[in-house]
Amino acid sequence: MRNWERQMLEALRAFLFHAPAPLLLTEEADWQRLWVLCQEQKVLPMVVDVLAPALTRAGSAPASLPGVRTQVLRSTAVQLQKNQAFLTLYQDLLQAGLRPLVVKGAVCRSLYPKPDLRPSADEDLLILPEELPEVLELLRARGFEAAREDGEQVIPCRDGTTGLYLELHRSLFPPASQAYGGLNRFFDGAFDHIFPMNMDSRMVLTLNPPDHFLYLVLHSFKHFLHSGFGIRQVCDICLFAQTYGQEIPWDRVSDALGQARADLFAANLLEIGRRHLGFTRYPERVQAWLDGWQDGLDCGDLLADLLSGGIYGGSTQTRLHSSRITLNAVSQADRAGRDHRLLRTLFPPREDLTGTYPYLKRHRWLLPAAWGQRIWTYLREGGGSAARESVAIGEQRVALLKKYRVIP
């Protein structure tokens, strides 16, 4: 592990547990690498909150610190504005008799010692199908621009005034996905077990603790099957386990994780928290479940993967493109050799490109144009070498899937 990566983990541990963080870096170049890494991982406000006072006290602040602090102050002010706008909007939805469930971002943020320092690019709401038209009508009346529905799993909505960005989910996972569409079955009764929680003196409705913990793990698992995820997701999961772990029926959750082939993956996420983020005192039920894995706890490769991948595995285009390899491995749709995997990376089916090229949803015949755009991206990144690098990254990540027993 590189020094700036270790510094980030030490700062996160200090932030989460109100502890001092050692100052491990001395060179300006390394401090700048730290800031870039923290920005990629979306944890910069938390890290700066701990390190800035320590550096000031030590009289060894790097030249880049003032600019980074200004950046954090601005982003935190924007986050605070969006948080308040979201809670106000959510109360309007409740008063209209609607029951959207808040998942991920806002719920996880509330678990942090300083919630406004945990950034969220968007807020996610799980919507009952019969309530979706009313939800969209209310949002549009409040000034949101909503994308056309078109039967999509997620409908994005944005408020141009506050910058608040919502994603309305018809289901928690894309049903058509071969690799993880089946995960929705674990949440079929989500609206029968709504969990009310207090958030900044206002009530929100969300998944009950067992469902929410399972969803947080499986959401990270989904991104693991693509091109990866980041350390902030590990913090979210570990904080949730620490806060609600004693209330969670671990036998049921473990059974669901086992069915999804994500149980060893989940155990190693918690182990990252225990070894590197200060989560040394999980609730008894969590600790017993984790200890039951014994020799299966080997989180080093998983930690290295998430540190190199950015918030959702998007640190580089080649890494993003490599997701074709891992998804094919999981869905068992691609058992061909290396050269064929290279072709599938360059020429994936239409269904795999609609997120990047939305015009394919309505114009199937434009698939060759999307391939052309994709190839042009590879050429700009170094021609065939970029494509082969994607294959190499994909194959390394397939080895991770095998190590954590996602695939045989």
Side-chain angles (χ1 to χ4, degrees):
M1 188 186 305
R2 296 170 295 189
N3 283 345
W4 54 90
E5 294 172 332
R6 186 174 292 106
Q7 181 70 83
M8 181 184 71
L9 296 175
E10 289 289 349
L12 286 173
R13 178 191 57 78
F15 176 81
L16 294 170
F17 294 98
H18 307 285
L23 300 177
L24 306 177
L25 307 179
T26 56
E27 301 296 327
E28 174 66 28
D30 286 345
W31 284 109
Q32 292 187 14
R33 292 185 182 100
L34 170 68
W35 309 138
V36 170
L37 174 65
C38 292
Q39 189 73 291
E40 289 176 352
Q41 297 281 332
K42 305 304 180 190
V43 296
L44 185 62
M46 295 183 276
V47 169
V48 171
D49 183 70
V50 169
L51 293 183
L55 287 165
T56 301
R57 287 192 300 269
S60 58
S64 53
L65 181 61
V68 171
R69 290 186 74 171
T70 299
Q71 178 185 348
V72 166
L73 287 172
R74 289 174 179 167
S75 66
T76 302
V78 171
Q79 185 67 60
L80 178 60
Q81 180 185 28
K82 290 195 292 186
N83 294 349
Q84 294 304 311
F86 173 70
L87 290 174
T88 299
L89 173 69
Y90 190 81
Q91 300 309 303
D92 291 344
L93 291 166
L94 290 180
Q95 289 172 13
L98 302 169
R99 296 187 302 156
L101 300 188
V102 181
V103 295
K104 291 193 307 174
V107 172
C108 293
R109 190 165 56 245
S110 69
L111 305 177
Y112 283 76
K114 296 181 181 179
D116 293 325
L117 297 184
R118 190 274 193 195
S120 289
D122 55 54
E123 300 298 344
D124 297 275
L125 296 173
L126 179 62
I127 310 293
L128 282 165
E130 60 268 26
E131 292 187 357
L132 183 58
E134 289 183 73
V135 170
L136 286 169
E137 182 180 358
L138 187 149
L139 290 176
R140 288 171 175 140
R142 298 294 189 277
F144 280 79
E145 295 181 4
R148 292 178 57 183
E149 297 182 43
D150 291 337
E152 293 299 313
Q153 179 229 349
V154 177
I155 302 172
C157 304
R158 183 181 296 278
D159 180 353
T161 302
T162 64
L164 178 61
Y165 180 75
L166 304 177
E167 289 193 343
L168 310 183
H169 293 252
R170 299 172 187 265
S171 59
L172 291 174
F173 297 93
S177 169
Q178 276 188 296
Y180 45 76
L183 299 179
N184 285 309
R185 71 187 187 275
F186 298 120
F187 306 97
D188 286 341
F191 283 92
D192 298 328
H193 308 286
I194 291 176
F195 183 72
M197 65 179 297
N198 185 286
M199 193 176 294
D200 197 14
S201 301
R202 283 172 276 192
M203 186 188 74
V204 302
L205 304 177
T206 184
L207 301 168
N208 66 20
D211 284 349
H212 216 139
F213 177 80
L214 182 61
Y215 174 57
L216 291 175
V217 172
L218 293 180
H219 179 75
S220 291
F221 183 66
K222 180 192 82 169
H223 286 284
F224 183 55
L225 302 184
H226 275 263
S227 49
F229 61 102
I231 196 68
R232 196 187 70 191
Q233 284 66 44
V234 181
C235 293
D236 291 349
I237 290 166
C238 294
L239 279 170
F240 201 94
Q242 183 185 60
T243 304
Y244 294 105
Q246 207 59 21
E247 304 174 29
I248 294 175
W250 283 93
D251 288 347
R252 179 165 71 83
V253 170
S254 180
D255 180 63
L257 290 170
Q259 291 181 48
R261 295 172 295 177
D263 47 357
L264 184 57
F265 168 80
N268 277 282
L269 290 183
L270 294 175
E271 182 67 0
I272 290 173
R274 185 161 65 173
R275 288 192 191 180
H276 300 283
L277 295 171
F279 289 89
T280 57
R281 298 179 182 175
Y282 287 121
E284 184 179 350
R285 289 184 179 180
V286 184
Q287 198 69 43
W289 181 77
L290 189 56
D291 290 342
W293 286 97
Q294 298 179 350
D295 295 339
L297 297 178
D298 181 6
C299 63
D301 289 340
L302 183 59
L303 177 61
D305 182 68
L306 65 90
L307 289 178
S308 68
I311 188 68
Y312 281 130
S315 57
T316 65
Q317 284 298 311
T318 50
R319 186 177 173 102
L320 284 171
H321 294 320
S322 74
S323 65
R324 288 303 319 138
I325 305 299
T326 48
L327 287 176
N328 283 335
V330 173
S331 63
Q332 298 183 353
D334 188 354
R335 294 181 174 273
R338 182 182 178 88
D339 291 339
H340 188 234
R341 287 197 292 273
L342 175 57
L343 290 175
R344 286 296 298 267
T345 302
L346 286 169
F347 303 106
R350 183 188 69 88
E351 293 77 11
D352 297 334
L353 292 178
T354 54
T356 307
Y357 308 109
Y359 56 79
L360 291 176
K361 297 174 184 176
R362 295 185 297 276
H363 305 295
R364 294 170 178 260
W365 56 275
L366 286 176
L367 178 58
W371 283 342
Q373 284 184 260
R374 190 175 178 85
I375 293 170
W376 174 243
T377 298
Y378 278 122
L379 291 173
R380 283 171 35 188
E381 293 178 353
S385 63
R388 294 189 181 279
E389 183 183 348
S390 288
V391 172
I393 292 172
E395 291 183 336
Q396 290 171 4
R397 302 200 70 254
V398 166
L400 281 181
L401 298 181
K402 292 179 179 178
K403 175 173 183 174
Y404 297 109
R405 303 178 194 169
V406 179
I407 57 177

